[in-house]
Short mmCIF file of all heavy atoms in Angstrom, two decimals:
data_model
loop_
_atom_site.label_atom_id
_atom_site.label_comp_id
_atom_site.label_asym_id
_atom_site.label_seq_id
_atom_site.Cartn_x
_atom_site.Cartn_y
_atom_site.Cartn_z
N TRP A 147 -28.06 51.41 141.01
CA TRP A 147 -27.37 50.48 140.12
C TRP A 147 -25.89 50.78 140.05
O TRP A 147 -25.05 49.89 140.17
CB TRP A 147 -28.00 50.57 138.73
CG TRP A 147 -27.35 49.67 137.72
CD1 TRP A 147 -27.54 48.35 137.56
CD2 TRP A 147 -26.40 50.06 136.73
NE1 TRP A 147 -26.78 47.86 136.52
CE2 TRP A 147 -26.06 48.89 136.00
CE3 TRP A 147 -25.79 51.27 136.39
CZ2 TRP A 147 -25.15 48.92 134.95
CZ3 TRP A 147 -24.89 51.29 135.35
CH2 TRP A 147 -24.58 50.12 134.65
N SER A 148 -25.53 52.06 139.85
CA SER A 148 -24.13 52.43 139.78
C SER A 148 -23.43 52.16 141.11
O SER A 148 -22.28 51.74 141.15
CB SER A 148 -23.99 53.90 139.39
OG SER A 148 -22.65 54.30 139.36
N GLY A 149 -24.15 52.42 142.21
CA GLY A 149 -23.55 52.18 143.52
C GLY A 149 -23.27 50.71 143.76
O GLY A 149 -22.24 50.35 144.35
N ARG A 150 -24.18 49.83 143.31
CA ARG A 150 -23.95 48.40 143.50
C ARG A 150 -22.72 47.93 142.73
O ARG A 150 -21.92 47.15 143.22
CB ARG A 150 -25.19 47.62 143.06
CG ARG A 150 -26.37 47.77 143.97
CD ARG A 150 -27.40 46.68 143.67
NE ARG A 150 -27.85 46.71 142.29
CZ ARG A 150 -28.87 47.43 141.87
NH1 ARG A 150 -29.53 48.22 142.72
NH2 ARG A 150 -29.24 47.40 140.60
N VAL A 151 -22.58 48.42 141.49
CA VAL A 151 -21.42 48.04 140.70
C VAL A 151 -20.14 48.56 141.33
O VAL A 151 -19.14 47.85 141.43
CB VAL A 151 -21.56 48.56 139.25
CG1 VAL A 151 -20.30 48.31 138.45
CG2 VAL A 151 -22.76 47.90 138.58
N GLN A 152 -20.14 49.81 141.78
CA GLN A 152 -18.95 50.41 142.36
C GLN A 152 -18.59 49.75 143.68
O GLN A 152 -17.42 49.51 143.97
CB GLN A 152 -19.17 51.92 142.56
CG GLN A 152 -17.93 52.66 143.05
CD GLN A 152 -16.84 52.68 142.01
OE1 GLN A 152 -17.12 52.66 140.83
NE2 GLN A 152 -15.59 52.71 142.45
N ALA A 153 -19.61 49.44 144.49
CA ALA A 153 -19.34 48.82 145.78
C ALA A 153 -18.81 47.40 145.62
O ALA A 153 -17.94 46.96 146.38
CB ALA A 153 -20.62 48.79 146.63
N ARG A 154 -19.31 46.68 144.62
CA ARG A 154 -18.89 45.30 144.44
C ARG A 154 -17.55 45.19 143.75
O ARG A 154 -16.75 44.30 144.04
CB ARG A 154 -19.95 44.56 143.64
CG ARG A 154 -19.66 43.07 143.46
CD ARG A 154 -20.79 42.41 142.69
NE ARG A 154 -20.50 41.01 142.47
CZ ARG A 154 -21.27 40.19 141.76
NH1 ARG A 154 -22.38 40.66 141.21
NH2 ARG A 154 -20.93 38.93 141.59
N HIS A 155 -17.29 46.10 142.80
CA HIS A 155 -16.10 45.98 141.99
C HIS A 155 -15.24 47.24 142.05
O HIS A 155 -14.45 47.49 141.15
CB HIS A 155 -16.48 45.71 140.53
CG HIS A 155 -17.47 44.60 140.38
ND1 HIS A 155 -17.13 43.27 140.52
CD2 HIS A 155 -18.80 44.62 140.12
CE1 HIS A 155 -18.20 42.52 140.34
NE2 HIS A 155 -19.22 43.31 140.09
N GLY A 156 -15.39 48.02 143.11
CA GLY A 156 -14.69 49.29 143.18
C GLY A 156 -13.18 49.16 143.15
O GLY A 156 -12.48 49.97 142.56
N ALA A 157 -12.65 48.12 143.82
CA ALA A 157 -11.20 47.96 143.86
C ALA A 157 -10.63 47.72 142.48
O ALA A 157 -9.56 48.22 142.14
CB ALA A 157 -10.84 46.80 144.78
N ARG A 158 -11.34 46.96 141.65
CA ARG A 158 -10.84 46.69 140.31
C ARG A 158 -11.14 47.85 139.37
O ARG A 158 -10.38 48.15 138.47
CB ARG A 158 -11.47 45.41 139.77
CG ARG A 158 -10.70 44.16 140.15
CD ARG A 158 -11.39 42.95 139.58
NE ARG A 158 -12.60 42.67 140.37
CZ ARG A 158 -12.88 41.48 140.90
NH1 ARG A 158 -12.05 40.49 140.73
NH2 ARG A 158 -13.97 41.29 141.59
N LEU A 159 -12.30 48.51 139.56
CA LEU A 159 -12.66 49.60 138.67
C LEU A 159 -11.85 50.85 138.92
O LEU A 159 -11.78 51.73 138.08
CB LEU A 159 -14.15 49.91 138.80
CG LEU A 159 -15.10 48.81 138.33
CD1 LEU A 159 -16.53 49.24 138.61
CD2 LEU A 159 -14.93 48.52 136.86
N SER A 160 -11.27 50.96 140.11
CA SER A 160 -10.51 52.17 140.43
C SER A 160 -9.17 52.19 139.70
O SER A 160 -8.52 53.21 139.65
CB SER A 160 -10.26 52.24 141.95
OG SER A 160 -9.51 51.12 142.38
N ARG A 161 -8.73 51.06 139.14
CA ARG A 161 -7.49 51.01 138.40
C ARG A 161 -7.79 50.88 136.91
O ARG A 161 -8.78 50.26 136.52
CB ARG A 161 -6.64 49.81 138.86
CG ARG A 161 -6.30 49.86 140.33
CD ARG A 161 -5.30 48.76 140.67
NE ARG A 161 -5.86 47.43 140.42
CZ ARG A 161 -6.52 46.73 141.33
NH1 ARG A 161 -6.70 47.22 142.53
NH2 ARG A 161 -6.98 45.52 141.04
N GLY A 162 -6.94 51.44 136.09
CA GLY A 162 -7.10 51.28 134.65
C GLY A 162 -7.39 52.60 133.97
O GLY A 162 -7.09 53.67 134.51
N VAL A 163 -7.98 52.53 132.79
CA VAL A 163 -8.20 53.71 131.97
C VAL A 163 -9.65 53.77 131.54
O VAL A 163 -10.37 52.79 131.55
CB VAL A 163 -7.30 53.69 130.71
CG1 VAL A 163 -5.84 53.72 131.09
CG2 VAL A 163 -7.61 52.48 129.85
N VAL A 164 -10.06 54.97 131.18
CA VAL A 164 -11.38 55.19 130.58
C VAL A 164 -11.14 55.82 129.22
O VAL A 164 -10.46 56.84 129.12
CB VAL A 164 -12.25 56.11 131.45
CG1 VAL A 164 -13.56 56.39 130.77
CG2 VAL A 164 -12.47 55.49 132.81
N ILE A 165 -11.67 55.22 128.16
CA ILE A 165 -11.39 55.69 126.79
C ILE A 165 -12.49 56.63 126.33
O ILE A 165 -13.66 56.27 126.33
CB ILE A 165 -11.27 54.50 125.83
CG1 ILE A 165 -10.04 53.68 126.19
CG2 ILE A 165 -11.19 54.95 124.39
CD1 ILE A 165 -9.80 52.50 125.28
N GLY A 166 -12.07 57.85 125.96
CA GLY A 166 -12.98 58.79 125.31
C GLY A 166 -14.21 59.11 126.10
O GLY A 166 -15.31 58.91 125.62
N GLN A 167 -14.07 59.61 127.33
CA GLN A 167 -15.23 59.83 128.18
C GLN A 167 -15.78 61.24 128.01
O GLN A 167 -15.04 62.21 127.89
CB GLN A 167 -14.85 59.59 129.64
CG GLN A 167 -16.04 59.61 130.57
CD GLN A 167 -15.66 59.17 131.97
OE1 GLN A 167 -14.56 59.42 132.41
NE2 GLN A 167 -16.57 58.52 132.65
N ALA A 168 -17.09 61.35 127.99
CA ALA A 168 -17.79 62.63 127.97
C ALA A 168 -19.01 62.49 128.84
O ALA A 168 -19.40 61.39 129.21
CB ALA A 168 -18.17 63.03 126.55
N SER A 169 -19.62 63.59 129.21
CA SER A 169 -20.79 63.56 130.08
C SER A 169 -21.98 64.19 129.38
O SER A 169 -21.84 65.19 128.68
CB SER A 169 -20.51 64.29 131.40
OG SER A 169 -19.50 63.63 132.14
N LEU A 170 -23.14 63.58 129.58
CA LEU A 170 -24.39 64.11 129.05
C LEU A 170 -25.24 64.60 130.22
O LEU A 170 -25.49 63.85 131.16
CB LEU A 170 -25.15 63.03 128.28
CG LEU A 170 -24.51 62.53 126.98
CD1 LEU A 170 -25.41 61.46 126.37
CD2 LEU A 170 -24.29 63.65 126.01
N ASP A 171 -25.66 65.85 130.18
CA ASP A 171 -26.56 66.39 131.19
C ASP A 171 -27.98 65.95 130.87
O ASP A 171 -28.54 66.34 129.85
CB ASP A 171 -26.47 67.92 131.24
CG ASP A 171 -25.11 68.39 131.73
OD1 ASP A 171 -24.51 67.65 132.54
OD2 ASP A 171 -24.66 69.46 131.31
N LEU A 172 -28.55 65.14 131.74
CA LEU A 172 -29.86 64.57 131.51
C LEU A 172 -30.89 65.27 132.37
O LEU A 172 -30.58 66.13 133.19
CB LEU A 172 -29.82 63.07 131.82
CG LEU A 172 -28.71 62.30 131.08
CD1 LEU A 172 -28.64 60.89 131.59
CD2 LEU A 172 -28.99 62.31 129.59
N ARG A 173 -32.15 64.88 132.17
CA ARG A 173 -33.22 65.47 132.95
C ARG A 173 -33.09 65.09 134.42
O ARG A 173 -32.63 64.02 134.77
CB ARG A 173 -34.57 64.98 132.43
CG ARG A 173 -34.85 65.41 130.99
CD ARG A 173 -36.17 64.85 130.51
NE ARG A 173 -36.44 65.24 129.13
CZ ARG A 173 -37.50 64.86 128.46
NH1 ARG A 173 -38.41 64.08 129.03
NH2 ARG A 173 -37.67 65.25 127.21
N GLY A 174 -33.50 65.99 135.28
CA GLY A 174 -33.48 65.71 136.72
C GLY A 174 -32.12 65.90 137.34
O GLY A 174 -31.87 65.42 138.44
N GLY A 175 -31.18 66.56 136.67
CA GLY A 175 -29.87 66.80 137.26
C GLY A 175 -28.93 65.62 137.18
O GLY A 175 -27.93 65.59 137.87
N VAL A 176 -29.21 64.63 136.35
CA VAL A 176 -28.36 63.45 136.26
C VAL A 176 -27.30 63.70 135.20
O VAL A 176 -27.60 64.18 134.11
CB VAL A 176 -29.18 62.20 135.89
CG1 VAL A 176 -28.28 60.98 135.78
CG2 VAL A 176 -30.25 61.97 136.93
N THR A 177 -26.05 63.39 135.52
CA THR A 177 -24.96 63.48 134.57
C THR A 177 -24.47 62.07 134.31
O THR A 177 -23.87 61.45 135.18
CB THR A 177 -23.81 64.36 135.10
OG1 THR A 177 -24.34 65.63 135.43
CG2 THR A 177 -22.72 64.50 134.07
N GLN A 178 -24.74 61.54 133.12
CA GLN A 178 -24.39 60.16 132.78
C GLN A 178 -23.12 60.15 131.94
O GLN A 178 -23.02 60.86 130.94
CB GLN A 178 -25.52 59.49 132.02
CG GLN A 178 -25.17 58.09 131.51
CD GLN A 178 -24.87 57.15 132.64
OE1 GLN A 178 -25.63 57.03 133.58
NE2 GLN A 178 -23.73 56.49 132.56
N SER A 179 -22.15 59.36 132.35
CA SER A 179 -20.90 59.24 131.63
C SER A 179 -21.08 58.41 130.37
O SER A 179 -21.69 57.35 130.39
CB SER A 179 -19.84 58.60 132.52
OG SER A 179 -18.70 58.27 131.79
N VAL A 180 -20.56 58.91 129.24
CA VAL A 180 -20.61 58.19 127.97
C VAL A 180 -19.19 58.07 127.46
O VAL A 180 -18.47 59.05 127.36
CB VAL A 180 -21.48 58.93 126.93
CG1 VAL A 180 -21.53 58.14 125.63
CG2 VAL A 180 -22.88 59.14 127.47
N THR A 181 -18.75 56.88 127.14
CA THR A 181 -17.41 56.66 126.64
C THR A 181 -17.45 55.98 125.30
O THR A 181 -18.44 55.35 124.92
CB THR A 181 -16.60 55.78 127.61
OG1 THR A 181 -17.19 54.48 127.64
CG2 THR A 181 -16.59 56.37 129.01
N LEU A 182 -16.35 56.11 124.56
CA LEU A 182 -16.23 55.38 123.31
C LEU A 182 -16.24 53.88 123.57
O LEU A 182 -16.68 53.11 122.72
CB LEU A 182 -14.94 55.79 122.60
CG LEU A 182 -14.91 57.16 121.92
CD1 LEU A 182 -13.56 57.39 121.27
CD2 LEU A 182 -16.02 57.26 120.90
N SER A 183 -15.73 53.48 124.73
CA SER A 183 -15.70 52.05 125.05
C SER A 183 -17.10 51.48 125.17
O SER A 183 -17.41 50.43 124.60
CB SER A 183 -14.92 51.83 126.35
OG SER A 183 -13.60 52.29 126.24
N SER A 184 -17.97 52.17 125.93
CA SER A 184 -19.34 51.68 126.08
C SER A 184 -20.10 51.74 124.76
O SER A 184 -20.86 50.83 124.41
CB SER A 184 -20.08 52.49 127.15
OG SER A 184 -20.17 53.86 126.78
N LEU A 185 -19.86 52.80 123.99
CA LEU A 185 -20.51 52.91 122.67
C LEU A 185 -20.01 51.82 121.73
O LEU A 185 -20.80 51.23 120.98
CB LEU A 185 -20.24 54.30 122.09
CG LEU A 185 -20.90 54.61 120.74
CD1 LEU A 185 -22.42 54.55 120.86
CD2 LEU A 185 -20.45 55.97 120.23
N TRP A 186 -18.71 51.54 121.77
CA TRP A 186 -18.13 50.49 120.95
C TRP A 186 -18.68 49.12 121.33
O TRP A 186 -18.93 48.27 120.48
CB TRP A 186 -16.62 50.53 121.07
CG TRP A 186 -15.84 49.35 120.59
CD1 TRP A 186 -14.85 48.70 121.27
CD2 TRP A 186 -15.92 48.68 119.32
NE1 TRP A 186 -14.33 47.67 120.53
CE2 TRP A 186 -14.97 47.64 119.31
CE3 TRP A 186 -16.72 48.86 118.19
CZ2 TRP A 186 -14.80 46.78 118.23
CZ3 TRP A 186 -16.56 48.01 117.11
CH2 TRP A 186 -15.61 46.98 117.14
N GLY A 187 -18.92 48.91 122.63
CA GLY A 187 -19.49 47.64 123.06
C GLY A 187 -20.88 47.42 122.50
O GLY A 187 -21.20 46.34 121.99
N VAL A 188 -21.72 48.43 122.56
CA VAL A 188 -23.10 48.31 122.08
C VAL A 188 -23.14 48.22 120.55
O VAL A 188 -23.80 47.34 119.99
CB VAL A 188 -23.94 49.50 122.58
CG1 VAL A 188 -25.31 49.50 121.92
CG2 VAL A 188 -24.09 49.44 124.09
N THR A 189 -22.44 49.12 119.88
CA THR A 189 -22.48 49.13 118.41
C THR A 189 -21.81 47.90 117.82
O THR A 189 -22.20 47.43 116.74
CB THR A 189 -21.83 50.40 117.86
OG1 THR A 189 -20.49 50.50 118.37
CG2 THR A 189 -22.63 51.63 118.25
N GLY A 190 -20.79 47.37 118.51
CA GLY A 190 -20.15 46.16 118.01
C GLY A 190 -21.09 44.97 118.02
O GLY A 190 -21.13 44.19 117.06
N VAL A 191 -21.84 44.81 119.10
CA VAL A 191 -22.82 43.72 119.17
C VAL A 191 -23.92 43.94 118.12
O VAL A 191 -24.36 42.99 117.45
CB VAL A 191 -23.42 43.61 120.58
CG1 VAL A 191 -24.51 42.55 120.63
CG2 VAL A 191 -22.33 43.28 121.60
N LEU A 192 -24.36 45.18 117.97
CA LEU A 192 -25.37 45.48 116.95
C LEU A 192 -24.86 45.14 115.55
O LEU A 192 -25.61 44.60 114.72
CB LEU A 192 -25.75 46.96 117.02
CG LEU A 192 -26.73 47.39 118.10
CD1 LEU A 192 -26.88 48.90 118.10
CD2 LEU A 192 -28.08 46.72 117.89
N ALA A 193 -23.59 45.44 115.29
CA ALA A 193 -23.02 45.13 113.97
C ALA A 193 -23.03 43.63 113.71
O ALA A 193 -23.30 43.19 112.58
CB ALA A 193 -21.60 45.69 113.88
N MET A 194 -22.72 42.84 114.73
CA MET A 194 -22.76 41.39 114.56
C MET A 194 -24.17 40.90 114.23
O MET A 194 -24.37 40.08 113.33
CB MET A 194 -22.26 40.70 115.84
CG MET A 194 -20.83 40.97 116.18
SD MET A 194 -20.36 40.14 117.73
CE MET A 194 -18.79 40.93 118.07
N LEU A 195 -25.16 41.41 114.96
CA LEU A 195 -26.54 40.98 114.73
C LEU A 195 -27.03 41.40 113.35
O LEU A 195 -27.66 40.61 112.63
CB LEU A 195 -27.44 41.54 115.82
CG LEU A 195 -27.16 41.08 117.25
CD1 LEU A 195 -28.09 41.77 118.23
CD2 LEU A 195 -27.29 39.57 117.38
N LEU A 196 -26.77 42.65 112.99
CA LEU A 196 -27.24 43.14 111.69
C LEU A 196 -26.52 42.45 110.53
O LEU A 196 -27.10 42.27 109.46
CB LEU A 196 -27.07 44.65 111.62
CG LEU A 196 -27.92 45.45 112.61
CD1 LEU A 196 -27.63 46.94 112.48
CD2 LEU A 196 -29.40 45.18 112.40
N ASN A 197 -25.26 42.09 110.73
CA ASN A 197 -24.55 41.34 109.69
C ASN A 197 -25.19 39.96 109.50
O ASN A 197 -25.32 39.48 108.36
CB ASN A 197 -23.08 41.19 110.07
CG ASN A 197 -22.29 40.44 109.02
OD1 ASN A 197 -22.16 40.87 107.87
ND2 ASN A 197 -21.74 39.30 109.40
N ALA A 198 -25.60 39.33 110.61
CA ALA A 198 -26.29 38.05 110.50
C ALA A 198 -27.62 38.20 109.77
O ALA A 198 -27.98 37.35 108.95
CB ALA A 198 -26.50 37.46 111.90
N VAL A 199 -28.34 39.28 110.06
CA VAL A 199 -29.60 39.54 109.36
C VAL A 199 -29.36 39.72 107.86
O VAL A 199 -30.09 39.18 107.01
CB VAL A 199 -30.31 40.78 109.95
CG1 VAL A 199 -31.50 41.18 109.10
CG2 VAL A 199 -30.75 40.50 111.38
N LYS A 200 -28.32 40.45 107.52
CA LYS A 200 -28.00 40.70 106.11
C LYS A 200 -27.69 39.41 105.38
O LYS A 200 -28.03 39.24 104.20
CB LYS A 200 -26.82 41.66 106.03
CG LYS A 200 -26.37 41.99 104.61
CD LYS A 200 -25.16 42.90 104.62
CE LYS A 200 -24.66 43.16 103.20
NZ LYS A 200 -23.45 44.03 103.21
N ARG A 201 -27.05 38.46 106.05
CA ARG A 201 -26.64 37.21 105.40
C ARG A 201 -27.82 36.27 105.14
O ARG A 201 -27.84 35.55 104.14
CB ARG A 201 -25.58 36.50 106.26
CG ARG A 201 -24.27 37.27 106.34
CD ARG A 201 -23.34 36.63 107.36
NE ARG A 201 -22.90 35.31 106.92
CZ ARG A 201 -21.81 35.07 106.19
NH1 ARG A 201 -21.05 36.09 105.80
NH2 ARG A 201 -21.47 33.86 105.84
N VAL A 202 -28.79 36.25 106.06
CA VAL A 202 -29.90 35.30 105.90
C VAL A 202 -31.13 35.93 105.26
O VAL A 202 -32.06 35.20 104.87
CB VAL A 202 -30.28 34.68 107.27
CG1 VAL A 202 -29.10 33.97 107.88
CG2 VAL A 202 -30.83 35.74 108.22
N LEU A 203 -31.15 37.26 105.13
CA LEU A 203 -32.33 37.92 104.58
C LEU A 203 -32.66 37.48 103.15
O LEU A 203 -33.84 37.28 102.82
CB LEU A 203 -32.15 39.43 104.65
CG LEU A 203 -33.34 40.28 104.19
CD1 LEU A 203 -34.58 39.98 105.04
CD2 LEU A 203 -33.01 41.77 104.27
N PRO A 204 -31.67 37.35 102.23
CA PRO A 204 -32.03 36.92 100.86
C PRO A 204 -32.75 35.57 100.82
O PRO A 204 -33.70 35.40 100.05
CB PRO A 204 -30.66 36.85 100.15
CG PRO A 204 -29.80 37.81 100.90
CD PRO A 204 -30.23 37.70 102.32
N VAL A 205 -32.31 34.63 101.66
CA VAL A 205 -32.97 33.32 101.68
C VAL A 205 -34.37 33.45 102.28
O VAL A 205 -35.32 32.81 101.81
CB VAL A 205 -32.13 32.31 102.49
CG1 VAL A 205 -32.82 30.95 102.53
CG2 VAL A 205 -30.74 32.18 101.88
N ALA A 206 -34.51 34.30 103.30
CA ALA A 206 -35.82 34.48 103.92
C ALA A 206 -36.82 35.14 102.97
O ALA A 206 -38.03 34.95 103.11
CB ALA A 206 -35.68 35.32 105.19
N MET A 207 -36.33 35.91 102.00
CA MET A 207 -37.21 36.61 101.06
C MET A 207 -37.56 35.78 99.83
O MET A 207 -38.36 36.22 99.00
CB MET A 207 -36.56 37.92 100.63
CG MET A 207 -36.33 38.91 101.76
SD MET A 207 -37.87 39.43 102.55
CE MET A 207 -38.63 40.34 101.22
N GLU A 208 -36.97 34.61 99.66
CA GLU A 208 -37.23 33.80 98.47
C GLU A 208 -38.71 33.43 98.30
O GLU A 208 -39.21 33.42 97.16
CB GLU A 208 -36.37 32.53 98.50
CG GLU A 208 -34.91 32.78 98.20
CD GLU A 208 -34.11 31.49 98.20
OE1 GLU A 208 -34.72 30.42 98.42
OE2 GLU A 208 -32.89 31.55 97.98
N PRO A 209 -39.45 33.10 99.38
CA PRO A 209 -40.87 32.79 99.17
C PRO A 209 -41.68 33.92 98.57
O PRO A 209 -42.69 33.67 97.90
CB PRO A 209 -41.36 32.44 100.59
CG PRO A 209 -40.15 31.98 101.30
CD PRO A 209 -39.04 32.82 100.76
N PHE A 210 -41.27 35.18 98.79
CA PHE A 210 -42.00 36.31 98.22
C PHE A 210 -41.75 36.42 96.71
O PHE A 210 -42.48 37.14 96.02
CB PHE A 210 -41.59 37.60 98.92
CG PHE A 210 -41.98 37.64 100.37
CD1 PHE A 210 -41.10 37.20 101.35
CD2 PHE A 210 -43.23 38.08 100.76
CE1 PHE A 210 -41.45 37.23 102.69
CE2 PHE A 210 -43.59 38.12 102.09
CZ PHE A 210 -42.70 37.69 103.06
N GLN A 211 -40.73 35.72 96.21
CA GLN A 211 -40.46 35.71 94.77
C GLN A 211 -40.99 34.43 94.11
O GLN A 211 -41.54 34.48 93.01
CB GLN A 211 -38.95 35.84 94.53
CG GLN A 211 -38.36 37.12 95.08
CD GLN A 211 -36.84 37.15 94.95
OE1 GLN A 211 -36.23 36.18 94.52
NE2 GLN A 211 -36.25 38.27 95.32
#
Side-chain angles (χ1 to χ4, degrees):
W147 179 79
S148 178
R150 289 196 302 272
V151 174
Q152 185 67 30
R154 184 178 178 184
H155 311 285
R158 273 179 286 232
L159 294 176
S160 61
R161 301 188 298 269
V163 298
V164 177
I165 294 182
Q167 188 171 33
S169 295
L170 293 180
D171 293 329
L172 307 172
R173 297 178 181 178
V176 179
T177 304
Q178 174 63 51
S179 170
V180 181
T181 66
L182 286 180
S183 300
S184 62
L185 182 62
W186 165 228
V188 172
T189 56
V191 176
L192 280 174
M194 296 179 193
L195 297 177
L196 295 178
N197 181 63
V199 171
K200 179 182 177 182
R201 293 172 67 90
V202 301
L203 184 60
V205 180
M207 297 298 293
E208 286 182 1
F210 295 92
Q211 300 174 355

